[in-house]
Structure formats: C-alpha cells, structure tokens
Amino acid sequence: MSRAFWFVAGAGAGAYGLVKARRAAEMLTPEGLADRLAGLSLGLHLFGEEVRAGMDEKENDLRRRLGLALHEEQQKTITSGPDHSHDHREGND
C-alpha cells in the first residue's frame, strides 16, 4: 500500500508541475505578454479614474466646509445637473 501511495503522490506532483510549467510558458509568449500588458493598462486606467473621482469629491467637500466657491464647471454640474433646456421649449407640447 505504501508503494501505491507514493506512486499516486508522485503522479499528482508531476501533473501539478506540468500544468504550472505550461502556464509559465504561456505567459512568456508574445500573446501572453500582450494580454498581461493590456490587463495592466486597463487596471491603471481604472485606478486613475477612481483617484481623480476621489480627489474631486474630497476637494468639493473641503470647499463646502471652508465656504469657498466651487469651480465654475463643478458648480454648474452640481447645482443644475446636465443641461436639458433644449428638451422642453414653450409651445412644443
């Protein structure tokens, strides 16, 4: 029974090593590297957007607390929302 156990353990370790080696080899192909770089680029882009959104939110919070005026562009967006004045003109009902 001991020999069967070690045979199965060795076969399992060999299969595990083979799968890991294939994955490592795939990562080093041009397609694998391109995929990894594309993922990294997308991740950095999303991270940058989140940081900018957080900075804007914090700046607006600080400006409100200190009683300072918001930037003209931010104030327009916050107070009036998107401009829909052209949607509801008088006499077009």
Side-chain angles (χ1 to χ4, degrees):
M1 176 140 176
S2 177
R3 288 183 185 192
F5 170 75
W6 289 113
F7 177 77
V8 171
Y16 178 77
L18 182 64
V19 169
K20 287 298 224 178
R22 276 192 192 164
R23 287 184 183 167
E26 155 59 28
M27 285 190 320
L28 297 176
T29 63
E31 294 85 16
L33 291 173
D35 287 344
R36 291 177 64 85
L37 287 176
L40 178 64
S41 174
L42 178 62
L44 288 173
H45 180 73
L46 293 174
F47 178 72
E49 286 180 357
E50 289 292 323
V51 168
R52 282 189 292 280
M55 286 173 31
D56 289 341
E57 183 180 329
K58 187 64 175 177
E59 181 179 0
N60 288 336
D61 183 44
L62 289 172
R63 286 181 176 274
R64 281 190 198 103
R65 286 183 183 189
L66 297 174
L68 300 173
L70 295 174
H71 292 296
E72 181 180 323
E73 192 174 296
Q74 292 172 339
Q75 190 173 14
K76 181 180 177 184
T77 303
I78 291 171
T79 57
S80 65
D83 183 19
H84 295 291
S85 60
H86 62 281
D87 293 342
H88 304 288
R89 295 183 187 135
E90 286 186 32
N92 289 342
D93 293 334

